[in-house]
Each structure stands twice: as C-alpha cells, then as structure tokens.
Amino acid sequence: MPKAKSIPETVRRRAVAAVAAAWESGCPVAGWRPADQAAIADVCLRRYGSLGRRRVGASDRAGQVRDLARGLVEASGQDRGLVGPLIRDYEWLAERVLSAITDQAPEAEPAAAPDPGT
C-alpha cells in the first residue's frame, strides 16, 4: 500500500485552529482539550485525503462534508445510528474543518452557532 501524502504543517495548523474555533463557538463535539482538537483535525485530514477511495467527488462539497462528519462519528466511537441530532454538530464541524483544509470560506453560515445543549 502506498504511503499517504504528507500534509503541509500550515494546512494542519489551519485545521486544528478551525476545530478550536468551533469549540469556542459552542460546538459540543469539537473537544475542549488541544490534544483532542488536534486528533479531530487529523481525522478530517485523513478522510479528506482518501475521499476518492470512497468515491466522493472533488466537486461534491456536501458529500465531502457528510463523509468527514461520518469519519468523526466513527472516530468518536459512537454508533452512527445512535448519534441522532448530534450529526448536525458533526456536519457543522466538518464544514469548518473542510473550509480550513481547502482554504475556502464555509459554504453557508448557520443562523447561529450550534446549541451547546444538544
């Protein structure tokens, strides 16, 4: 199996910063510890690097967000079927990290930050 491409450190830093900013915005799945935030960013970076293997197109932004969110749920150890409304928080977080990875603004800003009580 070929070795994965190296992620530029600037991209990784942007991804970690996006996770930290999501936590500060009230995203309950972003993690409060810097080590957890870095791990979440790394999950997204790995998933982003392998989107093609899961047949998610480069122009399918919504599919990319769903795929990264799915990876975050799997990495959290939660059962995808039992995540319930938190999937919106995972998707919101995935959109922020994807935007940081691709150095683009998020597709659509939510009306408000995720409700920390969900």
Side-chain angles (χ1 to χ4, degrees), residues 17-105:
V19 177
W23 172 256
E24 292 299 321
S25 293
C27 182
V29 297
W32 63 273
R33 292 181 13 193
D36 294 340
Q37 294 169 353
I40 289 167
D42 289 340
V43 167
C44 289
L45 287 163
R46 280 192 305 275
R47 290 289 286 208
Y48 181 76
S50 61
L51 286 169
R53 285 196 310 248
R54 286 182 304 285
R55 299 176 191 218
V56 179
S59 62
D60 183 4
R61 180 72 170 209
Q64 292 174 356
V65 169
R66 281 190 308 272
D67 188 79
L68 267 60
R70 186 176 306 126
L72 290 172
V73 170
E74 290 170 2
S76 75
Q78 296 184 52
D79 182 339
R80 276 194 312 186
L82 300 177
V83 169
L86 277 179
I87 193 63
R88 289 186 300 242
D89 294 306
Y90 282 108
E91 289 172 348
W92 188 86
L93 177 58
E95 174 66 43
R96 293 326 170 264
V97 177
L98 182 60
S99 294
I101 292 170
T102 60
D103 201 21
Q104 298 175 1

